């Protein structure tokens, strides 16, 4: 089958379109004919080598973390899916590879594709949808009447997060640049701050939750707009010791993680704020909950651009510019 692989780590390295062997289908796996994949900054960060310590993929390997497609084969112990099902997924770490024609995925990481979405729209959802679910529902336990600050409301994560937070009954503040103000308002944002003009720290106060996706400076400011006992969940680092436990890191990596987040944890503690790092994980059950929200019209995909499979490198470059409005998708079939 055809696949875009990382041959060598590096910021300037391009993925190579290559013929590789079809995936092996284990007992609890389904084999998926890929129709669409979406691009995440995680793909670029992995190719650059920035995740080597946490996810030590050995080159050559196929990149890609989001998929929508059709089941073409099921393992002997698969119980939830059958050949012909239309599914979507964020395959688990160490089993990625959606920039390809086929992928085999453990059925526990898969959900039925929302019936009202095209394959391209469906592929745009899993990684960002699960990230937001794990941040706002699992970690923050965001409740009706609470105030949440979602940074970069016009991005892949932000466009999904605004919609889910509104559904949960929260008041939503977000940052974006002037060109995207109407977009984030249309998704339900209550307070929109043009980050090029205004400083959110002077506008927002006593927030219950922050979803941090930007740099350390923004993270530090975020600590100061949260009320004591509130939560700041960062998806852009620094990783904390709990994350080390979650991924079963060795002692050396655990020390590094402790060191990387020591400063921010100290500042958070001083302010009585709960800081935690989140690295999203594959989760078919949660994705099924997301399917329901999409089918009932609560959450709509926000798509920027669809690239043909052959232009996967161009799609990655586009996302790396950091200006995407919603998600960027690759059409494989
Ligand atoms: N830990 C995890 O599990 C996890 C999961 C998903 C994503 N992430 C990380 O979270 C970050 C966001 O991901 P994403 O997929 O949402 O990115 P994205 O879609 O590429 O974000 C692009 C958007 O960010 C906005 N933006 C850029 N700089 C901004 C700033 N200073 N303030 C406010 N908005 C700004 C841009 O709006 P303008 O054009 O208006 O500037 C654009 O719409 C990335 O670092 C990604 O790696 C982590």
């Amino acid at each position: 089958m055809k696949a875009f692989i990382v041959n060598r780590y590096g910021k300037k390295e391009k993925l190579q379109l290559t013929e590789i062997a079809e995936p092996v289908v284990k007992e609890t796996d389904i084999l998926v004919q890929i129709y669409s994949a979406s691009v995440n900054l995680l793909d670029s960060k992995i190719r650059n080598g920035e995740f080597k310590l946490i996810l030590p993929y050995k080159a050559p390997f196929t990149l890609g973390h989001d998929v929508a497609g059709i089941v073409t084969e099921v393992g002997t112990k698969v119980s939830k899916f059958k050949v012909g099902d239309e599914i979507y997924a964020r395959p688990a770490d160490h089993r990625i590879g959606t920039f390809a024609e086929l992928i085999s995925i453990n059925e526990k990481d898969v959900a039925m594709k929302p019936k009202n979405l095209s394959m391209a729209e469906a592929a745009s959802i899993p990684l960002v949808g699960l990230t937001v679910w794990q941040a706002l529902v699992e970690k923050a336990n965001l409740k009706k009447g609470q105030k949440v600050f979602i940074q970069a409301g016009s991005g892949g994560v932000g466009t999904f997060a605004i919609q889910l937070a509104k559904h949960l009954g929260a008041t939503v503040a977000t940052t974006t640049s002037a060109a995207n103000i109407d977009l984030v308002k249309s998704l339900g944002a209550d307070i929109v701050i043009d980050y090029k003009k205004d400083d959110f720290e002077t506008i927002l106060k006593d927030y219950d939750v922050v979803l941090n996706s930007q740099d350390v400076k923004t993270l530090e400011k975020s600590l100061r707009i949260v009320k004591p006992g509130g939560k700041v969940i960062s998806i852009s680092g620094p990783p904390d010791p709990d994350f080390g436990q979650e991924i079963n890191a060795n002692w050396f990596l655990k020390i590094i993680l402790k060191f990387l987040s020591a400063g921010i944890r100290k500042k958070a503690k001083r302010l009585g704020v709960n800081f935690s790092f989140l690295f999203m994980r594959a989760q078919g059950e949660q994705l099924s909950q997301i399917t329901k929200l999409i089918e009932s019209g609560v959450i709509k995909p926000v798509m920027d651009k669809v690239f043909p499979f052959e232009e996967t490198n161009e799609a990655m470059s586009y996302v790396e510019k950091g200006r995407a409005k919603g998600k960027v998708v690759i059409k494989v079939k």
Side-chain angles (χ1 to χ4, degrees):
M1 66 165 183
K2 288 198 183 83
F4 271 95
I5 61 164
V6 174
N7 237 337
R8 247 194 7 220
Y9 280 109
K11 215 170 183 161
K12 292 197 178 131
E13 293 295 325
K14 293 272 171 240
L15 304 187
Q16 283 184 15
L17 182 57
T18 318
E19 263 319 304
I20 60 168
E22 290 190 5
V24 175
V25 183
K26 295 187 223 155
E27 285 175 336
T28 52
D29 287 350
I30 59 167
L31 185 66
V32 179
Q33 169 92 59
I34 299 174
Y35 278 66
S36 285
S38 93
V39 180
N40 292 283
L41 279 167
L42 179 60
D43 295 309
S44 307
K45 291 176 183 178
I46 288 178
R47 181 212 54 206
N48 296 351
E50 292 166 37
F51 267 74
K52 267 188 194 164
L53 262 182
I54 294 167
L55 293 168
Y57 292 112
K58 242 180 110 191
F61 61 91
T62 309
L63 208 52
H65 287 80
D66 270 324
V67 58
I70 296 182
V71 179
T72 56
E73 194 182 322
V74 295
T76 50
K77 291 198 174 148
V78 166
S79 60
K80 289 193 226 139
F81 300 95
K82 58 180 191 316
V83 170
D85 281 348
E86 296 195 349
I87 61 87
Y88 69 154
R90 187 294 202 193
D93 293 326
H94 304 289
R95 299 211 50 191
I96 62 167
T98 61
F99 298 163
E101 290 179 306
L102 294 165
I103 187 167
S104 107
I105 318 173
N106 191 312
E107 67 163 339
K108 72 176 173 25
D109 300 329
V110 181
M112 293 298 278
K113 166 183 144 318
K115 289 192 180 66
N116 55 337
L117 296 194
S118 66
M119 286 289 185
E121 288 170 327
S124 77
I125 298 288
L127 187 140
V128 293
L130 288 168
T131 302
V132 173
W133 188 278
Q134 287 161 18
L136 299 186
V137 177
E138 226 177 39
K139 266 191 185 277
N141 193 17
L142 188 66
K143 290 266 181 306
K144 194 173 172 185
Q146 288 192 318
K147 298 197 291 185
V148 60
F149 171 42
I150 292 159
Q151 297 163 9
S154 48
V157 172
T159 48
F160 193 102
I162 293 172
Q163 298 183 79
L164 185 60
K166 286 309 293 177
H167 171 66
L168 296 171
T171 298
V172 177
T174 193
T175 43
T176 190
S177 67
N180 296 323
I181 289 177
D182 288 345
L183 167 67
V184 298
K185 279 193 177 157
S186 74
L187 298 172
D190 301 288
I191 300 150
V192 181
I193 299 163
D194 177 349
Y195 71 89
K196 292 191 175 161
K197 227 174 72 204
D198 295 316
D199 179 357
F200 71 83
E201 197 188 344
T202 62
I203 300 170
L204 308 178
K205 219 178 111 185
D206 290 338
Y207 270 64
D208 297 284
V209 176
V210 176
L211 178 52
N212 181 82
S213 57
Q214 304 300 307
D215 57 10
V216 180
K217 209 173 141 205
T218 310
L219 176 57
E220 288 182 359
K221 281 171 178 234
S222 296
L223 294 179
R224 298 194 287 266
I225 64 134
V226 170
K227 61 178 163 201
K231 294 175 183 163
V232 174
I233 297 156
S234 178
I235 57 170
S236 50
D240 61 4
D242 285 349
F243 172 64
Q245 299 284 2
E246 276 163 35
I247 61 165
N248 239 331
N250 62 34
W251 66 270
F252 177 63
L253 184 53
K254 275 186 182 148
I255 289 172
I256 294 177
L257 297 178
K258 206 171 163 184
F259 172 75
L260 285 175
S261 57
I264 203 78
R265 285 187 289 117
K266 203 170 150 194
K267 285 183 179 133
K269 201 172 169 192
R270 212 181 297 137
L271 292 163
V273 171
N274 236 302
F275 164 79
S276 64
F277 170 74
L278 167 73
F279 186 67
M280 63 80 57
R281 58 187 199 286
Q283 234 287 353
E285 285 294 323
Q286 291 174 351
L287 197 54
S288 298
Q289 302 287 319
I290 291 171
T291 298
K292 286 185 203 149
L293 292 181
I294 292 171
E295 287 183 342
S296 61
V298 167
I299 290 176
K300 295 186 174 65
V302 179
M303 309 259 295
D304 184 322
K305 213 168 159 172
V306 180
F307 286 80
F309 184 49
E310 296 70 31
E311 291 176 23
T312 295
N313 280 303
E314 287 75 7
M316 283 182 64
S317 303
Y318 184 84
V319 170
E320 284 159 26
K321 290 200 180 95
R323 298 277 79 83
K325 297 174 184 42
K327 292 289 298 175
V328 171
V329 170
I330 292 165
K331 193 168 185 291
V332 181
K333 195 175 157 76

